[in-house]
Amino acid sequence: MRLLIANDDGVYSPGLLLLAEIAAKFGEVRIVAPDFEQSSMGQAITFSRPLSYRRVAIAHFDAYRVNGTPADCVAIGIHNWDKVDVVLSGINLGHNLGNSTWHSGTLAAAKQAALFGVRGIALSAPPIESVEAYGKIRPYVEEVLAQILAVRPAPLLVNVNFPAAPRGVAWTRLSIRHYDGKVVLAKDPMGRTIYWFTAVPIEQVEPDTDRAAIEAGLVSMTPLRLDLTDHATLAELGRR
Ligand code: MN
């Protein structure tokens, strides 16, 4: 099995190194990741300038850095490696739950794989500073990958989030009733108003969602689809 590893935190992220180490137990691993952090870039692609693809030393891995977005990395990675079986994206330093998946570069890399017809799995966890800090999450990364790669029907796209100290795993749906994006005002040193568009904690989680799983100490696995069509509304409109 060929596993392509990407992320949005950049090629030197400890989360990416942990994911590559565990992925190597499942087959042949190659890393193709952005040379700078690309968090919250969503599924942007670079079309106004050419991209480079350069070998980089990441432990003993076959690794490359691209001066582009997570989606660029997956496109070039799949182009340069025959028969990629699955793209793993992460492990992101920070959760990607509910509506934040619209902004996530981590999930976008997995979605880019799905657009090419390749299975994509995005993985996110609380922020950490070194691979050693992943002690409690590490065994669950392997368990979750084994489970998702073996389960039938095989999901094309899965968004995985790990709590800090997992005690189990759960299949979930996206938490979409609440949105954690908020614009916060401040003043710059010259006294002018500036704005931070940031994420704020969400209360009152909906049952069976990714957010509820994390609060319960469970690894959340959400199968996603590329079809954004509102089928219920379409059927209703079609009847008229
Ligand atoms: Mn990130």
Side-chain angles (χ1 to χ4, degrees), residues 19-177:
L19 182 55
E21 284 174 356
I22 294 170
K25 298 181 179 185
F26 294 85
E28 230 180 315
V29 164
R30 178 180 287 180
I31 295 167
V32 181
D35 52 10
F36 291 104
E37 182 176 352
Q38 300 283 326
S39 291
S40 292
M41 287 295 283
Q43 205 158 344
I45 59 170
T46 303
F47 83 108
S48 56
R49 61 173 172 84
L51 295 164
S52 65
Y53 175 81
R54 299 207 169 99
R55 192 175 280 278
V56 63
I58 303 290
H60 59 281
F61 290 106
D62 182 25
Y64 299 84
R65 61 185 175 90
V66 172
N67 60 341
T69 66
D72 292 332
C73 292
V74 170
I76 294 174
I78 288 176
H79 178 84
N80 281 347
W81 207 23
D82 283 341
K83 300 189 181 109
V84 172
D85 293 286
V86 60
V87 171
L88 306 179
S89 177
I91 295 172
N92 191 58
L93 307 183
H95 285 140
N96 281 301
L97 299 166
N99 277 323
S100 70
T101 52
W102 288 101
H103 307 298
S104 170
T106 305
L107 178 59
K111 275 195 292 178
Q112 188 61 47
L115 285 177
F116 284 120
V118 175
R119 298 184 65 182
I121 304 172
L123 305 103
S124 305
I128 54 96
E129 288 176 1
S130 68
V131 170
E132 293 70 38
Y134 276 124
K136 289 178 177 156
I137 291 172
R138 181 184 280 269
Y140 280 91
V141 177
E142 184 170 353
E143 181 182 328
V144 159
L145 287 180
Q147 191 171 331
I148 294 174
L149 292 172
V151 76
R152 294 295 178 267
L156 180 62
L157 179 62
V158 184
N159 188 39
V160 179
N161 282 274
F162 298 89
R167 56 175 189 83
V169 301
W171 290 100
T172 60
R173 62 191 173 94
L174 280 181
S175 167
I176 55 161
R177 197 176 302 156

Side-chain angles (χ1 to χ4, degrees), residues 161-228:
N161 282 274
F162 298 89
R167 56 175 189 83
V169 301
W171 290 100
T172 60
R173 62 191 173 94
L174 280 181
S175 167
I176 55 161
R177 197 176 302 156
H178 305 284
Y179 178 54
D180 57 3
K182 189 183 177 190
V183 175
V184 177
L185 274 66
K187 294 285 184 190
D188 76 3
M190 277 68 72
R192 297 170 298 201
T193 301
I194 53 173
Y195 302 86
W196 290 98
F197 185 12
T198 187
V200 293
I202 286 179
E203 289 162 16
Q204 298 175 318
V205 299
E206 308 143 78
D208 308 323
T209 61
D210 49 1
R211 209 174 284 283
I214 293 299
E215 291 212 346
L218 303 174
V219 181
S220 165
M221 305 181 294
T222 309
L224 299 174
R225 61 180 179 186
L226 297 176
D227 182 3
L228 293 177

